[in-house]
Amino acid sequence: MSAERPLPHHRLPPDTLAELVRGEGGPATLDLLLGGERSRRLLLLRMLDDAGGLGPAWDLLSEAQQRAPRVVDDLLMYPQTGMWLTTALRRLRGKATTQEPPLWVELGHMRALAAAAALRAELDFTIEVPVRHGRVPLPTLGCAVLPVTEPWAKATVRAEGGHTVVETAGIEVAVPSASGSAGPGWFPVRRLTVGPKERQLDIALDDVDPYRTYPEPTEPRPLSGEAVAQWRRMLEQAWELLLREQPETAQAMRRGMFSLTPTPAGERFRPRSVSAGDAFGGVEASDPDDAVQLAVTLVHEFQHTKLGGLLHLAPLLTRGSDENQELWYAPWRNDPRPLEGLLQGIYAFAGIARFWREHRKATAARSAMAHFEFALWRTHVATATEQIRHHPRLTPLGSTLLDTLRDRCTQWLAEPVPEEYLALARLCADDNVARWRAHHRRPPAPAVETAVHAWLDGASGPPGSLASEPEIVPDPSARWLDSLAILVRHRLSGADDGRISFDGPEKAAARVSGALTADALLAAGDATAARHAYREHLATEPGPAGAWAGLGRALAMGGDEPGAARLLCHHPERARAVHRALLRVTGTAPDPVGLATWLGAPPV
């Protein structure tokens, strides 16, 4: 292998760094990132060989490289190879989070890689490979299914004169000579090629490689022919949209996006997608609602890919302590995030805001959703950025990147959006952060106890200690903090003809996980009915945390109880904590509006 030769030094010139800190990066920039990633993979491969000894697999891979170096490079740069390399090294170093598959199976995947390289290089060979639950995956090619009952076993891959079989216990599965062809017991990795010539995206639709899912491997789950056809149609439409509206991003994707792993569809407007820094160019995505959603997903995960490549060459943060790790509000997550994760999200969602900015220009006649999404995501990114823009752990490059994205976001915030959609975006953005606070901000326990005594004693206001900065305590029950935004999306999804749909609140809430009837009323603009409904929700024990945030929005929209509205909009965690404590002490839940009004009074 060429890892024996000295590896090059990788430097990003100023113009390349300037592109990346803006959240951009064309084909030339991607080539530089890919060069760094290739060297990194070779080093990881050498480290793995030094640590565990890859033996015959290394020899066969070396022979394939001599015959067909581009084939081996293609396999080396395949996202799943990067994921396997880091997973195997973690296992060898005792840092893995799981002990399956057995280590010999994990390391034996190198044999499957070597077999795939030798097959594509048209070599004659014989090599033993692992069998995983009756399946033998050969990366980039496909997966053989054998009648093996043991979870972990061994099989032989044999190639001679253009004929290849995978065999165990006298049972053979033939590997078709034509790439992408299926056969008895053989499920191929399909390739999807979409778009006009010279601007095509050629990507693997990988449903069989165990390292196609991030961060943990999973066993192959081959798609049906109908599912493959549907993914092809969706990708064709999404790629056409990206070529038309985001041509520079699309050109860069052609160089840096290699595999797409389908996962089952989720709830409407809640797609799931994942990428990993160790799997450069790989995307795991749920079945999309439509082509626009798939295009957004590709942009989102491609942002992560670029930033992951940059981070392998230049740090954005200095090393932090594992103790007392800081956690932050990330508008796109239910849970508090560490600094590294928040920075990743800012970069990715700045790309999403840019997507919707361009998409609303291109769909001027049908732009209700685009206006809302652009207004919402620019606000979310600005909020997240402001939290950490002066953080002491930012390197000079990290500060430049964050300041550049902040300046761009500031320009976007000045762009006009129709008032109706701007108001909805503000409502959803404010509601999201308030729900997050209600779940994850924890007022000091002594202050809560003092507040309970003050309330029961008839004091005119809460103790001043309750205004102390609350700590962040992750609440594992926090889910679906975006429920209000999802309800709004359902309303706007039928607005292409200029009309916004208004379903009954119960029906609207029933189709959105985590949504309350009161949330549906709030999304529809009925502040009075929403206020009453939130009060009913909070009369239950213990009462939904998000209802405190929603009640604050309903009061603010209706102009009622301004003191309670301010308190609940900005500090719902105080009301939630004191309300729960009073319920424990007295067995009776106080009126939430009356309690919030008292908590919002001047402290005593």
Side-chain angles (χ1 to χ4, degrees):
M1 290 288 291
S2 60
E4 302 292 347
R5 299 197 305 266
L7 294 174
H9 292 284
H10 296 278
R11 295 184 179 87
L12 297 176
D15 57 340
T16 297
L17 283 173
E19 281 188 341
L20 289 170
V21 299
R22 292 195 303 268
E24 300 169 358
T29 294
L30 263 293
D31 285 342
L32 290 172
L33 294 179
L34 284 166
E37 190 64 23
R38 180 182 183 277
S39 291
R40 180 175 180 271
R41 299 272 177 94
L42 287 169
L43 286 170
L44 291 175
L45 194 59
R46 172 50 75 190
M47 290 167 63
L48 191 59
D49 185 47
D50 290 343
L54 299 177
W58 183 273
D59 296 337
L60 183 57
L61 193 64
S62 298
E63 187 179 352
Q65 187 188 46
Q66 292 172 10
R67 170 75 69 86
R70 289 187 179 180
V71 164
V72 175
D73 258 12
D74 183 54
L75 267 164
L76 181 69
M77 294 305 296
Y78 198 54
Q80 281 61 287
T81 301
M83 203 69 212
W84 166 71
L85 280 167
T86 52
T87 301
L89 282 167
R90 280 195 295 269
R91 289 288 300 274
L92 284 171
R93 294 170 177 173
K95 297 181 179 180
T97 58
T98 179
Q99 295 304 309
E100 286 199 352
L103 183 58
W104 68 266
V105 174
E106 198 96 78
L107 296 179
H109 187 71
M110 177 65 182
R111 293 169 171 260
L113 273 167
L119 280 175
R120 292 176 57 182
E122 300 180 348
L123 295 174
D124 290 346
F125 68 95
T126 299
I127 192 169
E128 194 174 65
V129 296
V131 182
R132 311 166 68 112
H133 295 280
R135 299 175 176 90
V136 177
L138 299 180
T140 72
L141 294 176
C143 175
V145 178
L146 297 166
V148 175
T149 57
E150 299 87 352
W152 319 110
K154 296 179 180 179
T156 300
V157 181
R158 184 180 299 107
E160 185 176 358
H163 179 64
T164 304
V165 296
V166 182
E167 181 270 334
T168 188
I171 305 296
E172 292 185 351
V173 170
V175 179
S177 57
S179 178
S181 297
W186 176 257
F187 295 89
V189 172
R190 283 90 162 190
R191 295 207 68 87
L192 302 183
T193 303
V194 297
K197 192 176 181 180
E198 306 300 331
R199 295 197 298 166
Q200 287 181 337
L201 176 68
D202 181 18
I203 193 168
L205 188 70
D206 197 337
D207 52 355
V208 296
D209 194 301
Y211 299 94
R212 74 197 183 282
T213 52
Y214 319 128
E216 300 293 342
T218 56
E219 298 312 312
R221 295 188 182 93
L223 294 173
S224 67
E226 294 79 6
V228 173
Q230 175 65 7
W231 270 99
R232 186 183 300 277
R233 285 191 294 269
M234 280 290 181
L235 188 61
E236 285 173 344
Q237 296 170 23
W239 188 244
E240 180 183 357
L241 185 154
L242 289 171
L243 286 175
R244 184 173 63 249
E245 299 178 12
Q246 306 256 328
E248 292 183 3
T249 297
Q251 284 295 100
M253 281 183 184
R254 294 181 64 229
R255 292 289 301 122
M257 191 166 282
F258 307 128
S259 77
L260 177 61
T261 294
T263 58
E267 189 176 312
R268 192 180 181 201
F269 298 120
R270 279 178 171 151
R272 176 185 178 275
S273 65
V274 186
S275 56
D278 293 323
F280 188 103
V283 175
E284 181 186 349
S286 59
D287 292 352
D289 296 341
D290 53 36
V292 174
Q293 188 182 88
L294 179 55
V296 172
T297 295
L298 295 178
V299 168
H300 176 189
E301 299 305 340
F302 191 56
Q303 290 291 102
H304 282 303
T305 291
K306 290 186 294 185
L307 188 60
L310 173 60
L311 288 171
H312 287 160
L313 296 173
L316 302 179
L317 298 169
T318 59
R319 185 177 295 275
S321 171
D322 292 335
E323 297 181 5
N324 302 318
Q325 187 180 54
E326 293 179 300
L327 296 174
W328 304 87
Y329 168 60
W332 36 84
R333 296 277 301 214
N334 293 317
D335 55 334
R337 298 295 288 158
L339 183 61
E340 292 83 355
L342 181 60
L343 192 58
Q344 280 273 357
I346 288 170
Y347 196 82
F349 284 93
I352 287 182
R354 185 178 71 241
F355 171 90
W356 286 110
R357 179 176 181 266
E358 298 304 318
H359 189 60
R360 75 187 191 122
K361 293 178 183 177
T363 56
R366 301 170 54 186
S367 54
M369 189 75 80
H371 284 312
F372 168 75
E373 297 287 6
F374 172 60
L376 179 65
W377 290 113
R378 68 180 182 180
T379 302
H380 279 336
V381 173
T383 299
T385 303
E386 285 300 320
Q387 294 180 101
I388 61 170
R389 58 181 300 239
H390 296 304
H391 198 283
R393 281 187 57 202
L394 288 166
T395 65
L397 179 60
S399 292
T400 299
L401 181 142
L402 206 60
D403 287 344
T404 302
L405 294 180
R406 177 181 178 273
D407 291 346
R408 176 159 288 192
C409 207
T410 299
Q411 295 172 7
W412 292 343
L413 287 167
E415 295 183 12
V417 172
E419 182 58 36
E420 179 179 17
Y421 310 122
L422 182 61
L424 285 172
R426 286 172 175 163
L427 172 68
C428 293
D430 291 342
D431 179 76
N432 194 282
V433 68
R435 287 173 188 254
W436 187 91
R437 289 189 67 99
H439 276 286
H440 302 299
R441 286 287 188 179
R442 192 74 54 84
V448 173
E449 183 179 354
T450 303
V452 167
H453 291 305
W455 169 271
L456 294 176
D457 290 342
S460 60
S465 58
L466 198 62
S468 301
E469 181 66 18
E471 63 177 330
I472 295 177
V473 180
D475 179 358
S477 72
R479 299 182 69 188
W480 303 305
L481 302 189
D482 62 348
S483 292
L484 193 64
I486 302 300
L487 287 163
V488 167
R489 290 182 178 106
H490 277 283
R491 284 185 57 202
L492 296 182
S493 62
D496 288 345
D497 59 1
R499 297 174 295 173
I500 296 178
S501 62
F502 291 90
D503 287 333
E506 292 83 5
K507 180 180 177 181
R511 63 186 179 185
V512 177
S513 295
L516 304 171
T517 300
D519 295 331
L521 290 165
L522 187 64
D526 192 340
T528 300
R531 183 186 69 216
H532 292 307
Y534 281 123
R535 273 179 139 159
E536 291 180 10
H537 287 309
L538 289 169
T540 64
E541 186 177 350
W548 291 104
L551 178 59
R553 296 297 143 203
L555 292 173
M557 284 175 62
D560 302 320
E561 306 289 350
R566 280 193 301 272
L567 185 283
L568 293 177
C569 285
H570 297 289
H571 300 287
E573 70 278 2
R574 297 180 192 172
R576 185 191 185 203
V578 175
H579 186 270
R580 295 176 74 175
L582 281 167
L583 183 60
R584 285 195 303 270
V585 170
T586 67
T588 303
D591 172 62
V593 175
L595 178 62
T597 299
W598 181 77
L599 290 169
V604 295

